[in-house]
Amino acid sequence: MSATAVRALSYENINPHVKTAKYAVRGELAVRSEEYRAKLAKGEGKDLPFDTVIAANIGNPQQLDQKPITFFRQVASIMENPELLEKEEVLTSGLGYKPDVVARAKKLLAAVKSVGAYSQSHGAPAIRESVAKFIERRDGYPAEADHIYLSAGASSGVNTLLHIISSKPETGILVPIPQYPLYTATLAVLDARVVPYYLDESQAWGTNLGEIKSAYDKAVAEGTDVKAIVIINPGNPTGASLPAEDIRSVLEFAAEKKLVVMADEVYQTNVFQGEFISFKKALRDLQKEVPKKFDNIELASLHSVSKGMVGECGHRGGYFELIGFDEKVAAEIYKFISIQLCPPVMGQCIVEMMVNPPKEGEPSYELYKQEYDGIFEGLKKRAHALYDAFKQMEGVSCNTPAGSMYLFPTITIPAKAIAQAKKEGRAPDEFYCFRLLDATGVCVVAGSGFGQKEGTLHFRTTFLAPGTDWVGRIVKFHKEFMDEFRD
Amino acid sequence: MSATAVRALSYENINPHVKTAKYAVRGELAVRSEEYRAKLAKGEGKDLPFDTVIAANIGNPQQLDQKPITFFRQVASIMENPELLEKEEVLTSGLGYKPDVVARAKKLLAAVKSVGAYSQSHGAPAIRESVAKFIERRDGYPAEADHIYLSAGASSGVNTLLHIISSKPETGILVPIPQYPLYTATLAVLDARVVPYYLDESQAWGTNLGEIKSAYDKAVAEGTDVKAIVIINPGNPTGASLPAEDIRSVLEFAAEKKLVVMADEVYQTNVFQGEFISFKKALRDLQKEVPKKFDNIELASLHSVSKGMVGECGHRGGYFELIGFDEKVAAEIYKFISIQLCPPVMGQCIVEMMVNPPKEGEPSYELYKQEYDGIFEGLKKRAHALYDAFKQMEGVSCNTPAGSMYLFPTITIPAKAIAQAKKEGRAPDEFYCFRLLDATGVCVVAGSGFGQKEGTLHFRTTFLAPGTDWVGRIVKFHKEFMDEFRD
């Protein structure tokens, strides 16, 4: 045994691709905020200049007091304890469960047998059927249960798809910048290439076809085998909601260059401006309008129970639909996910309820609608309160809230602050975010964690935290920060 | 666009390492059995020579009528619908929930806030604490919550650990043969090397140190950088339960060669012969007895809610404990799991209840004990019924049931059957298993799916299916098969 290596594993000899991966959403800032939270919870931290920590770094609504949708959880409680069905009288009169709650629990139990049993690797057949019907209703085009793959949140679906596509170190995937770092982190682990294309902040963070083309051409010139393009719509971290023409131009480009389209559509119900258009619908429209050109396009569309008004992050439910994939490729996807057996079965059940909620006229509808709309309006209101605050802040500019759960303002900070950041060995936006956390307890994520154009600075904040007090904390901090470093 | 490649992805150009991976537990046999099951469920399949499909291919107890443990599911039902706590009177008198059910639900809700909220990447702190205390009670040595990583079943933990260890194509991991194919499949995807070491069927499928040594030496001679050794105890697919001396000799070898020890201990409560000794306990004992030699050994021990008497596969809960790992390596593990956010939170709660079930004297204890013991005795009884049947079958031999959920008999079949298998392009044991399925509806997994010594044939069967009728089906089939192919 040498003196330097007493163990089998050291930072030096583990998987270098894991080391390369970066995932700022749960990085150093988040860790420090958790330390503050733990300190306060223990009654310590009298020295801290705040009394609560605001986790605006991650879209985790139920950690921030968002109440789950009653129908989902009543059904889930029966799924966990099916013996409750033997006391239907107690359920309905004692606990106030409506008949459609009981009926749904019975239907889902028939579909999965037990939430404690493994399902098929890509999910219980009846749940995949229900997802297919939802997609048909949403888009007005057929969908097939065999092409639906349930997953442990959308993250697991992204992991699966990138595993299949990344065949060699030269494989490249077009990824929007800024992006949710799941993409760059997973590609780092897979030792494949990120081909970054910048979103256009001046056009409400839309996709710019010229930008995509030049990113593609540059990558090809460098020997990259570009196989796919990722789009996150509505946008994370940008808060954008793509217009029809952006979606079409991406599909045109993908058809022309033969690229798999990975549409991350987990925020499809979080749209405050315009309407959500799925890539599937846009593709089917194009296929009708333009003969042949779009016949062989491959599209994977991802969805999740973690976002929207559902917010059931902890249940790890999601799905992806494969459109136009070769059957032999789909068989390899099936085998790959089989190695991890199956996605959480309760998460699958929540997916089913998300895509097939109580309908008008059904007993649970009214409460469902009231809760759903209440969450939607609350998110919209807080998005605008935050946006209004950003508008007043010196050196801060932000696009109008359009979709998802985030705002991603640009910040311009004094040269002295940038110099201080450099002195402390931090990116300037990271420096700003640490200062914000230390002064206010508000945890956001620095723009550098998502990627941003050289020379620009941003941060991402959710608008999930209740109340508006914390928005005031940001405004006050920002003024003091600007004053402190003013030239 | 060329005529041969109309799409971006084809079987030819996707990730070759995914293609190389094999996972027979959910392979072609399992798929065919599902087709039979679907046919029978639709009222079709009058032509089939059986009326039920018996899924003896996978350890999925609740798919096979094993009832979940009442305490776990009562608590889980409240976790899903915390509003039930506002009607405690209905819970206790109407539904018969005991006070300790209500208390546990409150405690776990305080720990996770909501089962719909993301937890820390490695699990809720209070649950990790509870796991650490369990390990202390089990082994009589301290354990730390900071070294516990909750995971989506043990499979996800194995995936994480192999990702960290596999740093290059020359990285090798000693894997027992036969093995649960999660290991070989994951190493194939990671493009790392399996270093197979054969278990000793003549010694109740124990580990044979000479065998491990020669496998290691051969690998090193071939330029493999052997970094870790996997042990599955109790054994999958072998049904073995390792004696103390086997465990010690593996630890001695690991210390000598500086190997990470990965102890897959998911069947730790499924022991019918002797007692379970954890690698952690064995290591701490050795560290006390022998100064220095074992100081720097790295051990990862995995556990799961899917097995034991819990059988909550669909909840995807599990954990691993890291012992002796470098802090910087642990930090990379934390980052890696963060990319997928967190394990299912209800699965985490089931882990907590598994490691901290009702105690003697508590209101739910009696029923818990009765259910737990009932499942244990049922498994043991069926294991022996199956074993007794195998003893009577011509050309079949099997070790005494000792642990886990499986038997792995050797089969000797006539040369004519082997010739027929060859004609049909199948391995002989696969051929046998397909014949068994087609004739009886009983689905097992061929030994070749786990690896076996050249020239030997096996199959793995669970003993979870209720009743013994299906055992009779196997006996009858086997006789007919032997008669058909007799020389």
Side-chain angles (χ1 to χ4, degrees):
Chain A
M1 234 177 264
S2 81
T4 48
V6 292
R7 294 186 180 89
L9 300 182
S10 66
Y11 183 78
E12 285 65 39
N13 72 9
I14 58 171
N15 188 336
H17 309 306
V18 169
K19 287 192 280 185
T20 310
K22 288 194 176 68
Y23 189 73
V25 174
R26 292 193 164 208
E28 199 186 339
L29 263 161
V31 170
R32 188 186 293 182
S33 82
E34 286 302 324
E35 285 162 8
Y36 286 154
R37 185 195 301 280
K39 222 170 157 184
L40 291 168
K42 279 186 206 154
E44 299 165 14
K46 299 277 180 277
D47 53 321
L48 295 175
F50 47 84
D51 54 5
T52 50
V53 168
I54 305 289
N57 59 313
I58 189 162
N60 192 8
Q62 295 187 22
Q63 189 56 247
L64 294 166
D65 297 323
Q66 180 175 304
K67 268 194 56 188
I69 299 225
T70 302
F71 177 81
F72 296 172
R73 294 303 200 89
Q74 288 181 337
V75 172
S77 69
I78 301 174
M79 301 295 296
E80 284 293 355
N81 188 11
E83 288 191 352
L84 294 176
L85 291 171
E86 290 161 26
K87 305 199 174 177
E88 221 172 296
E89 172 62 20
V90 181
L91 280 186
T92 49
S93 61
L95 299 174
Y97 281 26
K98 299 275 166 54
D100 54 346
V101 168
V102 175
R104 181 66 62 93
K106 286 181 182 168
K107 198 179 130 185
L108 285 172
L109 278 167
V112 302
K113 186 149 179 175
S114 163
V115 289
Y118 293 127
S119 70
Q120 286 185 15
S121 308
H122 54 343
I127 294 177
R128 289 187 282 107
E129 285 286 352
S130 190
V131 171
K133 281 182 195 145
F134 153 74
I135 295 171
E136 290 184 3
R137 286 192 305 273
R138 185 193 66 190
D139 296 338
Y141 289 104
E144 281 182 50
D146 281 353
H147 299 162
I148 307 294
Y149 294 72
L150 290 162
S151 57
S155 301
S156 160
V158 167
N159 183 61
T160 297
L161 294 165
L162 293 180
H163 258 91
I164 296 293
I165 299 171
S166 301
S167 64
K168 52 183 188 290
E170 296 78 28
T171 300
I173 314 271
L174 282 154
V175 173
I177 298 295
Q179 51 101 38
Y180 176 55
L182 164 65
Y183 293 95
T184 44
T186 308
L187 288 170
V189 171
L190 285 164
D191 191 25
R193 293 183 189 168
V194 174
V195 181
Y197 68 92
Y198 287 99
L199 298 172
D200 191 345
E201 187 167 11
S202 72
Q203 297 295 314
W205 289 116
T207 53
N208 177 322
L209 194 60
E211 178 64 47
I212 294 175
K213 274 186 180 152
S214 65
Y216 176 89
D217 289 342
K218 182 164 171 278
V220 170
E222 288 166 0
T224 301
D225 182 13
V226 185
K227 299 298 285 182
I229 179 166
V230 172
I231 305 98
I232 310 175
N233 180 44
N236 178 3
T238 62
S241 176
L242 289 186
E245 53 276 23
D246 284 21
I247 295 171
R248 285 182 161 233
S249 67
V250 167
L251 287 168
E252 297 251 7
F253 185 74
E256 191 186 313
K257 302 294 186 189
K258 229 202 289 170
L259 302 175
V260 177
V261 177
M262 280 180 67
D264 178 338
E265 303 181 316
V266 300
Y267 297 97
Q268 59 187 263
T269 57
N270 299 97
V271 175
F272 308 123
Q273 221 171 46
E275 56 158 356
F276 169 74
I277 301 158
S278 75
F279 268 81
K280 169 90 178 282
K281 181 181 185 315
L283 172 63
R284 293 300 188 222
D285 284 348
L286 280 171
Q287 285 172 334
K288 268 208 310 206
E289 289 166 29
V290 188
K292 289 204 171 165
K293 179 169 180 186
F294 296 95
D295 280 5
N296 295 308
I297 212 165
E298 291 143 283
L299 166 64
S301 158
L302 298 119
H303 197 6
S304 165
V305 301
S306 301
K307 311 301 168 187
M309 271 42 75
V310 181
E312 294 282 3
C313 312
H315 275 302
R316 312 307 298 120
Y319 75 81
F320 57 90
E321 183 190 14
L322 295 183
I323 298 123
F325 276 64
D326 185 292
E327 267 185 36
K328 279 173 142 179
V329 173
E332 291 300 309
I333 291 175
Y334 183 84
K335 183 184 69 186
F336 178 77
I337 59 176
S338 293
I339 301 170
Q340 291 286 316
L341 298 165
C342 73
V345 175
M346 185 61 92
Q348 297 182 34
C349 296
I350 305 274
V351 167
E352 202 284 329
M353 292 188 272
M354 171 180 77
V355 300
N356 183 25
K359 289 181 194 57
E360 206 164 344
E362 291 175 355
S364 296
Y365 178 73
E366 206 175 324
L367 179 61
Y368 168 76
K369 178 93 168 77
Q370 184 190 315
E371 292 174 336
Y372 188 95
D373 292 350
I375 295 168
F376 183 86
E377 291 305 326
L379 290 172
K380 192 172 171 183
K381 202 173 125 185
R382 273 175 276 148
H384 278 278
L386 202 53
Y387 172 64
D388 290 342
F390 290 153
K391 276 200 295 194
Q392 296 164 21
M393 281 157 60
E394 183 190 351
V396 172
S397 75
C398 186
N399 275 299
T400 323
S404 85
M405 293 178 166
Y406 312 103
L407 293 185
F408 195 63
T410 293
I411 50 175
T412 313
I413 61 174
K416 263 195 197 164
I418 293 171
Q420 182 62 29
K422 207 174 168 186
K423 215 182 278 176
E424 298 185 14
R426 294 212 182 272
D429 50 357
E430 234 190 349
F431 171 72
Y432 178 92
C433 293
F434 271 107
R435 283 295 196 101
L436 173 66
L437 174 64
D438 293 341
T440 66
V442 177
C443 182
V444 299
V445 187
S448 45
F450 306 96
Q452 53 198 353
K453 266 199 179 142
E454 186 71 31
T456 68
L457 302 175
H458 300 77
F459 64 83
R460 185 190 81 166
T461 174
T462 71
F463 37 80
L464 295 165
T468 48
D469 145 70
W470 62 281
V471 178
R473 292 194 215 173
I474 300 176
V475 174
K476 180 165 173 283
F477 158 78
H478 184 75
K479 192 177 174 314
E480 288 165 3
F481 180 91
M482 296 299 275
D483 288 346
E484 179 181 350
F485 292 104
R486 205 173 296 282
D487 300 306
Chain B
M1 231 177 265
S2 81
T4 47
V6 292
R7 294 186 181 88
L9 301 182
S10 65
Y11 183 78
E12 285 65 39
N13 72 10
I14 59 171
N15 187 337
H17 310 305
V18 170
K19 287 191 281 186
T20 309
K22 289 195 176 67
Y23 189 74
V25 176
R26 292 194 165 208
E28 199 186 340
L29 263 160
V31 170
R32 188 186 292 182
S33 82
E34 285 303 323
E35 286 162 7
Y36 286 152
R37 185 195 301 279
K39 222 171 156 182
L40 290 167
K42 281 186 204 154
E44 298 165 15
K46 299 277 179 280
D47 52 320
L48 296 174
F50 48 85
D51 53 7
T52 48
V53 169
I54 304 289
N57 58 313
I58 187 161
N60 191 9
Q62 294 189 22
Q63 190 57 248
L64 293 166
D65 297 323
Q66 181 176 304
K67 267 193 60 190
I69 300 230
T70 302
F71 177 80
F72 297 172
R73 294 304 199 90
Q74 287 180 338
V75 172
S77 69
I78 301 175
M79 301 295 295
E80 283 293 354
N81 189 12
E83 289 191 351
L84 294 175
L85 291 172
E86 291 161 26
K87 305 196 174 180
E88 222 173 294
E89 171 63 21
V90 180
L91 280 185
T92 50
S93 60
L95 298 174
Y97 282 27
K98 300 274 166 56
D100 54 345
V101 168
V102 175
R104 182 65 62 92
K106 285 181 181 168
K107 195 180 134 188
L108 285 173
L109 277 167
V112 302
K113 185 148 180 176
S114 163
V115 289
Y118 293 127
S119 70
Q120 285 185 17
S121 308
H122 54 342
I127 295 177
R128 288 186 284 107
E129 285 287 353
S130 190
V131 172
K133 281 182 196 144
F134 153 74
I135 295 170
E136 289 183 4
R137 286 191 304 273
R138 185 193 66 191
D139 296 339
Y141 289 103
E144 281 183 49
D146 281 352
H147 299 163
I148 307 295
Y149 294 72
L150 290 161
S151 57
S155 301
S156 162
V158 168
N159 182 62
T160 297
L161 294 165
L162 294 180
H163 257 89
I164 295 293
I165 299 171
S166 301
S167 65
K168 52 184 190 287
E170 296 78 27
T171 300
I173 315 271
L174 281 155
V175 173
I177 298 295
Q179 50 105 36
Y180 176 55
L182 165 64
Y183 293 94
T184 44
T186 307
L187 288 170
V189 171
L190 285 165
D191 190 24
R193 293 183 189 167
V194 174
V195 180
Y197 68 93
Y198 287 99
L199 298 173
D200 191 344
E201 186 165 12
S202 73
Q203 296 296 314
W205 289 115
T207 52
N208 177 323
L209 194 61
E211 178 62 48
I212 294 176
K213 275 187 179 152
S214 66
Y216 176 89
D217 290 341
K218 181 164 171 277
V220 170
E222 288 166 359
T224 301
D225 182 12
V226 185
K227 298 298 284 181
I229 179 166
V230 172
I231 305 98
I232 310 175
N233 180 45
N236 178 3
T238 63
S241 177
L242 289 186
E245 53 275 23
D246 284 20
I247 295 171
R248 286 182 160 233
S249 67
V250 168
L251 287 168
E252 297 252 7
F253 185 74
E256 190 186 315
K257 302 294 186 190
K258 229 202 292 171
L259 301 176
V260 177
V261 178
M262 280 179 68
D264 179 337
E265 304 181 317
V266 301
Y267 297 98
Q268 59 188 262
T269 57
N270 300 99
V271 175
F272 308 122
Q273 220 171 45
E275 56 159 354
F276 169 74
I277 300 158
S278 75
F279 268 80
K280 168 90 177 283
K281 181 180 186 313
L283 172 64
R284 293 299 190 224
D285 284 348
L286 280 171
Q287 285 172 333
K288 268 205 312 204
E289 290 166 29
V290 188
K292 288 204 172 163
K293 179 168 180 187
F294 296 94
D295 280 4
N296 295 307
I297 212 164
E298 291 143 284
L299 166 64
S301 158
L302 298 118
H303 198 6
S304 165
V305 301
S306 302
K307 310 301 167 188
M309 272 41 77
V310 181
E312 295 282 2
C313 312
H315 274 113
R316 312 306 299 118
Y319 76 81
F320 56 91
E321 183 189 16
L322 296 184
I323 298 121
F325 276 62
D326 184 293
E327 268 186 37
K328 279 174 142 182
V329 173
E332 292 299 310
I333 291 175
Y334 183 84
K335 183 184 71 186
F336 178 77
I337 58 175
S338 293
I339 301 171
Q340 292 285 315
L341 297 164
C342 73
V345 175
M346 186 61 93
Q348 297 182 33
C349 295
I350 306 274
V351 168
E352 201 284 329
M353 293 188 273
M354 171 179 78
V355 300
N356 183 26
K359 290 181 193 56
E360 205 164 345
E362 291 175 353
S364 296
Y365 177 74
E366 206 176 324
L367 179 61
Y368 168 76
K369 178 92 169 72
Q370 184 190 315
E371 291 174 337
Y372 189 94
D373 291 349
I375 295 169
F376 183 86
E377 291 305 326
L379 289 172
K380 192 171 172 181
K381 202 174 127 185
R382 272 176 276 145
H384 279 277
L386 201 55
Y387 171 66
D388 290 342
F390 289 153
K391 277 201 293 194
Q392 296 164 21
M393 281 157 61
E394 182 191 353
V396 172
S397 76
C398 187
N399 274 300
T400 323
S404 86
M405 294 179 165
Y406 313 103
L407 293 186
F408 194 63
T410 294
I411 50 175
T412 313
I413 61 175
K416 260 196 199 164
I418 292 170
Q420 181 62 27
K422 207 174 169 187
K423 216 183 278 176
E424 298 185 15
R426 294 209 181 276
D429 50 357
E430 235 190 348
F431 170 73
Y432 178 91
C433 293
F434 271 106
R435 282 295 197 102
L436 173 65
L437 174 64
D438 293 342
T440 66
V442 177
C443 183
V444 299
V445 187
S448 46
F450 306 96
Q452 54 197 351
K453 266 201 180 142
E454 186 72 32
T456 68
L457 302 176
H458 299 78
F459 64 84
R460 185 190 81 167
T461 173
T462 72
F463 37 81
L464 295 164
T468 48
D469 145 70
W470 62 281
V471 178
R473 291 194 216 174
I474 299 176
V475 174
K476 180 166 174 282
F477 158 79
H478 184 75
K479 190 177 178 314
E480 288 166 3
F481 180 91
M482 296 300 276
D483 288 346
E484 179 181 348
F485 292 103
R486 204 172 297 281
D487 299 307

